[in-house]
Amino acid sequence: MPDHSAKLWHFPGGLQLDPHKSQSTQHPIQRIPIPSRIALPVKQHIGEAAEVSVREGDYVYKGQPIAHAQNHVRTPVHASTSGTVVHVCQQPVPHPSGLTDLCVVIDTDGLDRWFDGLLDPIKDYGMVNPACLRARVHESGIVGLGGAAFPTAIKLQRPIETLLINGVECEPYISCDDMLLRERSAEILEGVRILRHALEARHCIIAIEGDMPLALEAMRQALGGEQANGIRLVTIPPKYPAGGERQLIKTVTGQEVPSDGLPIDIGMICHNVGTANAIYHAVCLGKPLVSRIVTVTGGGIKQPKNIEALIGTPMSHLIEACGGYTDRFERLIMGGPMMGFTLPSDRLPIIKATNCLLVASQDEVGSPSAVMPCIHCGDCARVCPAILLPQELYRFAQAKHFDKLQVYDLFDCIECGCCAYVCPSNLPLVQYYRFAKYEIIAREHDQASAELARRRYEQRNQRLAHEKQEHAQRLAKKKALLNKLHPDNAEDSRKAAIRSVVERVKAKKATH
Ligand code: SF4
Ligand code: SF4
């Protein structure tokens, strides 16, 4: 049984929101026809872009790497179906910046032929050392599928005390984890066991939100008697953003992640249920991450549902598979209504971070309201789960006081949107925080680059001075040696040598 009796703690702030999940959970997860063209961005994760390893004209198989990653801050990308590479070029990608990024564009052949160089399945993963499992996760291109897209292998680098599996899908409208838990609990659980072994975790908690009863039941059945074996299933009371990493850790353990620290600093690591499922496929079946579950929902779509989509599929293909837009369609959002961002078009590709396409109607996004000055009501601070002062962050972000923003812990903001949701002045608070974070990171990057250039310049000057000094020392040594060998006529013999060269030159001129 889920551990209802487990002691839980409250995190500060947060909101009770209408879940709006039932629209998209009426049907099983659906597979859709392969699109005629896919576009795979080479950077679908937090970190550096992978390096493209195919060229236009190449035939690629499903699961074949098309972009390599030499280190763990990069994540490889694999072809999600078979076909021919027709472009390697800049294409629009789903990102809040609206900028383009390098993509591998493939014209598919509809055969969906798997690559015969796939990695071998590791059936007995319990006998494999954690470093091998980490390498497998990295080579399979797995990133956090909860929406953050952080390279998963980085979160497998050190043994930990407690592994926390996040099945708390707290943002309204999104139901991909709920459906995955209902239909593939056994696979998720196998992924959890692999994670536990890779992290050498003594304890393991699977947390699922209380308003997902079918998901809870499916996981309870998959677990059987295993709860006694150190895996605990815990029901989390519905509250937004209970699925935030820090909020979930606080809820299940009562512990706080330090402001400038990470969960690992208190012996914990959090992984999403979708990520656990992808790890099962990578380790037990040898299959890289080439698809994910996407919730397509909202008042602007005819048949809301969850779809298993190949990475790179145009969003329009999913919209079509859901019966198309209703006449109430107003705005397309990637993610949920709280943390998602508006997309300029549906011709963008599904990426590893696409957990939801919210096809919102007018009544779901509301009419644009006039932005008014802050009235210092303090509502934003009351709902902030990170115990920040959102109105002060807004003030400093607006004035570009970046030093002050860091003093006020801007980077603890999880961009949950609770503050903006309650703000009576309709201030676009989260946009300001995102802008400020971006600026601070860009400046730090510039400063780091300038510092690196300065250090390189100094090192070069030091090296040249050192070489000059060594050269002078060598000459002096040679001279001293000569003087030692011919102490009496050292000066005379040098003059004689010069005289002989001059005479040779003169004689040569005379013969011409
Ligand atoms: S909720 Fe809005 S108006 Fe109220 S203090 Fe915060 S920013 Fe100002
Ligand atoms: S968006 Fe940031 S500042 Fe606003 S409530 Fe969430 S954590 Fe607090």
Side-chain angles (χ1 to χ4, degrees), residues 373-381 391 394 419 422-425 427 429:
C374 171
I375 56 168
H376 307 288
C377 62
D379 285 355
C380 51
Q391 72 276 41
Y394 169 68
C419 52
V422 297
C423 176
S425 298
L427 291 165
L429 300 169

Side-chain angles (χ1 to χ4, degrees), residues 380 383-386 388 390 393 412-420 430 433:
C380 51
V383 297
C384 178
L388 300 173
L393 292 176
D412 279 358
C413 167
I414 57 167
E415 300 176 18
C416 64
C418 289
C419 52
V430 183
Y433 307 152

Side-chain angles (χ1 to χ4, degrees), residues 305-319:
K305 60 181 73 145
N306 278 276
I307 289 176
E308 179 156 18
L310 297 176
I311 307 294
T313 302
M315 293 171 178
S316 55
H317 198 64
L318 277 72
I319 302 282

Side-chain angles (χ1 to χ4, degrees), residues 14 28 46 61 70 84 130 168 173 184 203 222 255 306 329 353-354 383 389 416 459 494 498 501-502 506:
I46 295 176
Y61 292 88
Q70 305 301 346
T84 305
V168 183
Y173 288 91
R184 303 182 194 170
H203 307 290
Q255 288 181 273
N306 278 276
F329 167 63
T354 313
V383 297
L389 293 172
C416 64
Q459 280 167 358
R494 198 164 51 249
I498 293 168
V501 170
V502 171
K506 274 183 186 168

